[in-house]
Amino acid sequence: MYKITLLVLFTGLLWPCEAQENNTFLSDFNDNPTWTESYNGVWKSVVNQPQEVNLLNTSGSSPREEDLAKIEGSKFPLEKTEIKAFSKNGKTYIRLPLEDGERIFGLGLNFKTVEQRGRIMRLHMDHYGGKDNGRTHAPTPFFVSTSGYGLLINSAKYIDVYMGTGVTKDSKSPATSRDRNTDKKWTAQPKSDNIEIIIPDDGVELILFAGKNIQETVQRFNLYCGGGFIPPKWGLGFWQRTPTLYGEKEVQEEVDSFVKNNFPIDVVGLEPGWHSKSYPCTFEWDKTRFPNPKPFVESMAKQGIHLNSWINPYVSPSSSIYEKIKPFTATHTVWTGIVPDFLVPEAHKIMTDQFEKNVVSLGISGLKIDEVDGFDRWLWPDYAQFPSGLDGETMRSIYGTLTQKWSADMYRKQNTRTYGLVRAGNVGSVSLPYVIYNDYYKHEDFITALINSSFAGVLWTPEVRSSGSSEDWIRRMQSVCFSPMAMINAWADGTKPWSYPEVYEYCQDVAFLRMQLLPYIYTAFSEYYFKGIPPFRAMAMEEGFTNIPEIIEQGDLNSTDNPYVAALKKEIKNQYMMGESMLVAPMFAGQKTRTVVLPKGKWYDFYTGELIGNGGIITASHGLDKIPLYVKDGAIIPMMKQIRNTSEWGNDTTLEVRVYGNQPNEFVLYDDDGKSYDYEEGSYTQKVLKTTVQKGKLKGSVSKITERETWSYGIINWNFMTK
Ligand code: GAL
């Protein structure tokens, strides 16, 4: 045996190989994809023969043509001959150029990094496991470059990305070869001048977006993928998810305790215990915990409370639909539950009927769709087969989107908006009203994920569960109140906002501040819908952070006085923008101070209206009572009174419009009925809040630009914060 092995090895070594001149990897890269402009600044290319199913065509979304047309056109942002592609042996290879100094953002919902140059990733749907290796809840195959473009790889396969790591021998701008023995500048990762992408398929559809800056590129990407959405108003209020085994009585007590403790609440989340069995689920009420579901839901509604129900879509053998749906499910099970194939009309209908009967018709406002991401050892394997003909890998990449779409459609059918939670999303779900969450619990990393969600076409909540200290608790509560969903997820521990009495007052302050800011936040979501601008977004989308020529204009790049040097050299992964003009800089347990990098221009303290800096880096030293918040010069921030429930945000709500700095400005305030999809048909109101200089002082005025359809506001009080 030993001898035979040696012989094989030996013969193998000597086997003569003829060099194949025309068959090398590098010469295959001579093909240039053909690009066709589909919309202003958006080009598409189909390389060879991709599989029919992709991330976008399974999602039911289509490009927002009219809104894309409103963004000024642009020329093709790259040298076409520099983009190469070819397919061979079931794989498709793409190569793009990478300039010195070019910066790359995106590649999914990462938790530790914002800049992606120099990384190797396999984009793979999964529960985030602590490393930015491509396995995450939204492994979106989209990146945006400071070279004025973004690329979407519309494939539902696991995609390998070498983001500036591969160094080829035919490089146009080769790395300097150095002697490691003597040269201190030797590096294990020499410069790469390319981006290489490998798709395990016979072809791929590519979409390339131009943009005069990062934000514009992202806008085009979002609008192309269906555009953002506007949540129902109640969805932006405060959420409390209750412990798993809570029943009607405990949920009512929970709501009463929020009233008694004077804390905002709009939504209560029911966790697995509402099902008669869960993991896998029956999607049928447990009669011991919920003897009268319909009257219970109605009584909650009378108190202004919307209910959200947890599910995973895996059907329990005890469910009444089990036998009926079985032929339309996957070869493999998840926790013994059968896995519906939502692409097969029969499975889609059986699930719809079950949910319309037991959930939607009762008045439950939406779902929390759990466990549709991973882990490998729980989910179906990649070789599983689905009745629609899809393999496990493709289905895993789109399952989150399919379940979002299936559930959102039940609400759309009755012209009611929903807002829910999900653990998996992708480019197909940009327009679907869901927020991603997970079980990972690092506060700092939650903020980095919030930043990255703005490049990934998804929303993210840094949900709050428990805490090791009251300091950690209040810092987390402050962050979550400045996110798409302000939520405590107490499913395991029953934590309440007042569980840490020392800081309860500060919890109340920040929760009420969120409620006051809802007119501003709601308007930010309207910009997501109309223009594709993420309501919570990375600093890289602000001018002055990525635009290198402008940064150089600020002064010498080598000077320590130039604040943007830091922004360029270090990733900004702990501060972000909310809406048009507010910068949020969360603080974390253990911090007494933190630095904040201000984009160029004057910035003001949100709480006091004081000038805080003109570009540059500042130090925030807010005590536990406040989260650092800054606003741009000229910012106009519409706010309302402190409310506990969004049902109080109704007719003739008095507005307090805060104005910061001295720049005249305009803010287009958005409003609609807050609950139906009529806004998509033009049923909404926008009014311009405008400041002008009169006799050396700023004055405010309001003018309407659309007919009054719905308008919640009455008297407007202007508050000029900067004295
Ligand atoms: C987890 C989920 C939690 C909670 C729990 C209930 O998978 O991430 O938020 O819902 O299930 O069992």
Side-chain angles (χ1 to χ4, degrees):
M1 176 68 180
Y2 180 60
K3 261 194 202 147
I4 296 171
T5 319
L6 262 188
L7 191 73
V8 170
L9 270 179
F10 189 65
T11 340
L13 276 177
L14 286 182
W15 194 260
C17 285
E18 227 174 275
Q20 297 177 24
E21 227 182 287
N22 295 319
N23 197 20
T24 67
F25 182 77
L26 293 177
S27 60
D28 278 333
F29 258 132
N30 279 334
D31 290 352
N32 300 121
T34 318
W35 298 95
T36 319
E37 187 161 13
S38 342
Y39 304 96
N40 278 351
V42 181
W43 293 264
K44 184 157 135 179
S45 175
V46 181
V47 177
N48 210 29
Q49 284 234 303
Q51 77 168 5
E52 228 172 275
V53 168
N54 61 40
L55 294 174
L56 285 176
N57 66 12
T58 44
S59 73
S61 66
S62 45
R64 294 274 302 285
E65 243 171 87
E66 272 175 36
D67 295 312
L68 276 165
K70 287 181 194 151
I71 308 177
E72 211 182 299
S74 158
K75 67 175 187 25
F76 195 83
L78 291 169
E79 200 56 66
K80 282 191 184 145
T81 52
E82 292 288 307
I83 311 176
K84 322 259 189 191
F86 73 94
S87 303
K88 197 173 188 173
N89 300 336
K91 289 193 178 185
T92 299
Y93 300 82
I94 315 289
R95 183 185 297 163
L96 297 114
L98 192 59
E99 302 287 325
D100 289 356
E102 186 176 339
R103 302 163 72 197
I104 304 287
F105 303 90
L107 294 177
L109 191 68
N110 291 298
F111 285 70
K112 290 189 180 288
T113 55
V114 174
E115 303 221 8
Q116 302 308 333
R117 187 172 181 149
R119 283 177 198 290
I120 300 171
M121 299 211 197
R122 171 161 295 179
L123 304 178
H124 183 310
M125 180 63 74
D126 205 351
H127 190 287
Y128 182 71
K131 281 198 184 112
D132 287 2
N133 56 10
R135 283 191 175 242
T136 183
H137 310 267
T140 312
F142 168 73
F143 65 85
V144 49
S145 152
T146 48
S147 289
Y149 81 99
L151 182 74
L152 165 62
I153 304 128
N154 184 17
S155 165
K157 294 283 185 187
Y158 302 152
I159 300 165
D160 287 330
V161 182
Y162 291 77
M163 186 51 77
T165 55
V167 186
T168 56
K169 62 185 180 186
D170 66 350
S171 165
K172 282 201 179 139
S173 147
T176 315
S177 188
R178 298 181 189 276
D179 174 19
R180 186 173 176 268
N181 292 339
T182 55
D183 191 340
K184 287 216 170 67
K185 285 197 182 143
W186 182 93
T187 158
Q189 201 171 334
K191 183 187 88 176
S192 154
D193 64 355
N194 68 56
I195 298 167
E196 289 174 323
I197 301 161
I198 301 125
I199 302 107
D201 194 9
D202 290 324
V204 71
E205 180 180 280
L206 302 172
I207 304 125
L208 196 120
F209 307 90
K212 61 175 184 294
N213 51 37
I214 301 270
Q215 180 170 303
E216 193 179 89
T217 313
V218 168
Q219 283 178 252
R220 281 203 165 101
F221 158 74
N222 280 334
L223 290 173
Y224 184 85
C225 299
F229 63 89
I230 306 179
K233 285 182 175 170
W234 54 260
L236 297 175
F238 199 83
W239 292 52
Q240 172 81 4
R241 301 205 69 89
T242 50
T244 302
L245 293 182
Y246 266 28
E248 288 177 8
K249 193 171 146 285
E250 292 85 359
V251 171
Q252 181 60 60
E253 282 164 12
E254 187 88 335
V255 171
D256 293 343
S257 67
F258 271 70
V259 177
K260 189 169 139 255
N261 285 286
N262 189 27
F263 201 87
I265 188 157
D266 262 278
V267 187
V268 171
L270 307 179
E271 286 286 317
W274 76 269
H275 298 260
S276 54
K277 285 206 170 112
S278 74
Y279 281 59
C281 302
T282 54
F283 322 119
E284 283 149 15
W285 293 86
D286 179 90
K287 288 288 167 116
T288 56
R289 290 184 284 273
F290 294 91
N292 303 299
K294 196 161 170 35
F296 164 68
V297 181
E298 282 165 1
S299 129
M300 283 288 138
K302 279 197 197 116
Q303 301 167 64
I305 302 298
H306 287 78
L307 294 171
N308 172 287
S309 297
W310 174 100
I311 67 155
N312 62 46
Y314 312 123
V315 186
S316 159
S318 307
S319 173
S320 62
I321 61 169
Y322 184 82
E323 289 303 332
K324 216 160 130 202
I325 204 168
K326 203 170 174 190
F328 313 111
T329 57
T331 47
H332 289 66
T333 60
V334 179
W335 297 300
T336 72
I338 46 178
V339 183
D341 185 338
F342 285 91
L343 286 175
V344 172
E346 288 88 344
H348 192 279
K349 181 163 185 334
I350 295 166
M351 288 296 276
T352 303
D353 291 349
Q354 176 80 338
F355 274 78
E356 283 185 344
K357 185 171 98 207
N358 292 339
V359 178
V360 183
S361 67
L362 264 56
I364 296 286
S365 68
L367 301 180
K368 167 176 173 182
I369 307 173
D370 206 19
E371 318 283 6
V372 283
D373 45 352
F375 294 94
D376 287 359
R377 57 189 184 279
W378 292 336
L379 224 63
W380 60 85
D382 290 345
Y383 52 84
Q385 293 294 315
F386 284 76
S388 55
L390 261 54
D391 57 59
E393 172 177 348
T394 307
M395 189 55 99
R396 184 155 169 187
S397 307
I398 62 173
Y399 206 70
T401 303
L402 290 180
T403 51
Q404 288 184 47
K405 168 88 177 129
W406 153 77
S407 52
D409 279 353
M410 291 188 284
Y411 289 93
R412 189 174 266 281
K413 232 200 268 176
Q414 53 179 41
N415 195 22
T416 312
R417 279 182 241 171
T418 182
Y419 197 42
L421 290 145
V422 71
R423 274 229 318 243
N426 212 316
V427 291
S429 47
V430 176
S431 62
L432 296 169
Y434 282 87
V435 181
I436 299 183
Y437 66 97
N438 73 0
D439 285 342
Y440 184 79
Y441 200 53
K442 294 216 169 75
H443 188 188
E444 284 89 338
D445 293 3
F446 270 14
I447 300 306
T448 306
L450 182 52
I451 292 165
N452 281 320
S453 65
S454 61
F455 301 117
V458 296
L459 299 177
W460 160 260
T461 171
E463 65 167 41
V464 181
R465 298 201 282 276
S466 57
S467 278
S469 68
S470 52
E471 183 190 4
D472 184 42
W473 177 257
I474 179 62
R475 289 311 191 192
R476 286 178 184 272
M477 284 290 286
Q478 288 167 343
S479 294
V480 86
C481 286
F482 285 84
S483 87
M485 189 179 279
M487 178 178 73
I488 295 180
N489 182 11
W491 73 277
D493 54 28
T495 319
K496 321 274 181 240
W498 45 92
S499 291
Y500 301 83
E502 318 85 277
V503 291
Y504 181 50
E505 198 189 325
Y506 307 150
C507 284
Q508 274 175 315
D509 289 349
V510 73
F512 277 118
L513 178 58
R514 178 188 176 87
M515 301 305 279
Q516 285 187 278
L517 280 164
L518 288 184
Y520 174 78
I521 297 175
Y522 199 57
T523 297
F525 272 97
S526 75
E527 298 275 293
Y528 189 33
Y529 172 71
F530 289 111
K531 299 185 184 154
I533 302 174
F536 297 83
R537 61 190 183 281
M539 297 311 300
M541 287 190 219
E542 284 297 295
E543 287 294 334
F545 263 73
T546 46
N547 188 338
I548 293 168
E550 252 180 44
I551 294 166
I552 292 171
E553 249 173 53
Q554 306 280 325
D556 177 6
L557 260 190
N558 295 319
S559 143
T560 42
D561 295 340
N562 184 338
Y564 300 101
V565 173
L568 268 175
K569 288 195 176 152
K570 247 178 44 187
E571 296 182 282
I572 306 285
K573 49 184 192 178
N574 57 7
Q575 61 178 78
Y576 56 93
M577 296 297 298
M578 178 177 93
E580 201 170 298
S581 47
M582 191 177 278
L583 191 164
V584 184
M587 289 183 72
F588 306 103
Q591 277 186 335
K592 294 277 169 278
T593 63
R594 63 155 291 164
T595 55
V596 183
V597 184
L598 299 175
K600 67 174 186 172
K602 289 184 185 162
W603 287 80
Y604 296 83
D605 181 275
F606 168 78
Y607 302 97
T608 64
E610 257 173 78
L611 176 68
I612 202 79
N614 191 346
I617 300 178
I618 56 161
T619 300
S621 51
H622 294 55
L624 292 183
D625 59 333
K626 282 190 178 64
I627 175 170
L629 298 172
Y630 305 99
V631 285
K632 281 180 191 171
D633 196 9
I636 298 174
I637 313 260
M639 295 171 65
M640 62 181 168
K641 64 176 186 240
Q642 298 194 344
I643 56 172
R644 273 207 335 99
N645 183 278
T646 52
S647 57
E648 298 167 55
W649 177 10
N651 286 338
D652 292 330
T653 301
T654 300
L655 271 185
E656 177 200 350
V657 178
R658 293 198 185 174
V659 178
Y660 293 83
N662 332 93
Q663 282 298 317
N665 198 5
E666 285 185 9
F667 181 90
V668 180
L669 178 62
Y670 174 87
D671 199 20
D672 61 18
D673 69 12
K675 51 180 193 244
S676 78
Y677 280 101
D678 294 353
Y679 73 93
E680 293 184 347
E681 310 304 325
S683 206
Y684 57 82
T685 305
Q686 285 177 315
K687 288 193 185 186
V688 185
L689 304 176
K690 190 171 176 171
T691 52
T692 44
V693 183
Q694 285 174 25
K695 293 189 189 144
K697 272 187 147 186
L698 279 184
K699 275 257 175 307
S701 65
V702 188
S703 63
K704 76 176 174 192
I705 45 175
T706 54
E707 277 316 302
R708 180 180 169 133
E709 296 280 352
T710 341
W711 190 246
S712 315
Y713 307 109
I715 298 165
I716 296 186
N717 295 319
W718 292 83
N719 185 357
F720 295 90
M721 294 291 291
T722 307
K723 306 291 172 216

